[in-house]
Amino acid sequence: MDHIFSALADPTRRAILARLTAGETTVMDLARPFRMSQPAVSRHLKVLEEAGLIVQGRDAQKRPRKAQFKTLAELDLWLSPYRSYINQELAAHERKK
């Protein structure tokens, strides 16, 4: 879990992961909306891969990346005990408004 949370601590990596949940894409396509070089995006991808959040596909020379839903499911399972507490606190906060 530590690797996952560390990887998700960076807003660029969260944005990359969000884009990958829409489907696999190449490093070049992932780099396009960010103001950074392709090597910089590749470094972010490496962190996400090491955390198990994304995997690299094999499509000739493109090497597309895609989200690893198994790891996201594990993260969701880890968070599930906290969901009722969060929902209760949010509801209490809304009632106080």
Side-chain angles (χ1 to χ4, degrees), residues 30-45:
L30 285 169
R32 208 166 273 128
F34 300 104
R35 290 189 172 162
M36 64 179 69
S37 66
Q38 185 177 343
V41 171
S42 292
R43 287 191 293 274
H44 283 294
L45 292 173

Side-chain angles (χ1 to χ4, degrees), residues 47-82:
V47 172
L48 290 168
E49 287 172 6
E50 289 173 353
L53 291 164
I54 67 171
V55 292
Q56 179 177 318
R58 301 210 184 271
D59 182 16
Q61 296 190 8
K62 291 182 184 178
R63 303 283 190 236
R65 299 322 199 273
K66 64 180 180 177
Q68 177 70 300
F69 292 102
K70 181 181 176 190
T71 304
L72 293 173
E74 291 171 8
L75 179 60
D76 184 56
L77 183 63
W78 186 87
L79 288 169
S80 64
Y82 303 101

